[in-house]
Amino acid sequence: MGKQILLASLYLSEKISEDLIFFQHKLAEISNTMVDVYEEYKRIDRKYINRLENDMEANMFYWEYSQICRGKKIQEKADWLDGIGSKKISDLKKVLKNTILSEE
């Protein structure tokens, strides 16, 4: 992906190139965080195997999982993707589409 971004930067303005690189890094960070959270979920899933039958264990599972999500700032990352991130995607799509369609 990095190589494609560098090649694309030959055809894009400096600001758009910087935005594209920032966005690529931000998405990589979010993806890595999601993988980390999933790995932690698998760990606590094995730890609280009786949570469906045991309310106390279920509460402990959900508390621990919520702490993981809070620590990894999942909500903030999802909010960024839904708000600023989605606007940035739209803006970058327009620029890339116009660049591709350009005769230069």
Side-chain angles (χ1 to χ4, degrees):
M1 180 69 151
K3 183 178 179 182
Q4 290 84 356
I5 290 175
L6 288 174
L7 289 172
S9 68
L10 295 172
Y11 302 97
L12 301 171
S13 71
E14 188 174 333
K15 172 154 181 14
I16 297 299
S17 294
E18 288 172 4
D19 287 349
L20 188 59
I21 290 168
F22 169 80
F23 194 72
Q24 189 261 340
H25 286 294
K26 188 74 169 174
L27 286 181
E29 173 194 335
I30 292 169
S31 296
N32 291 339
T33 300
M34 297 305 282
V35 170
D36 292 346
V37 167
Y38 178 67
E39 290 300 320
E40 287 294 313
Y41 169 81
K42 288 190 324 187
R43 180 186 62 78
I44 64 172
D45 185 47
R46 291 187 299 269
K47 184 176 174 181
Y48 299 107
I49 56 175
N50 296 319
R51 71 179 179 275
L52 296 177
E53 297 85 28
N54 183 323
D55 288 342
M56 185 174 184
E57 202 170 290
N59 289 336
M60 291 168 59
F61 170 84
Y62 289 114
W63 181 85
E64 191 170 336
Y65 187 65
S66 71
Q67 295 304 307
I68 291 165
C69 291
R70 188 171 295 128
K72 296 288 186 177
K73 299 182 177 165
I74 294 296
Q75 185 64 48
E76 291 90 345
K77 288 176 171 91
D79 290 344
W80 184 87
L81 273 177
D82 191 41
I84 295 169
S86 103
K87 180 174 178 359
K88 283 191 177 289
I89 288 173
S90 297
D91 293 347
L92 288 170
K93 281 173 46 177
K94 287 176 193 171
V95 168
L96 292 173
K97 181 179 177 184
N98 290 336
T99 302
I100 291 168
L101 295 176
S102 170
E103 294 192 21
E104 293 180 20

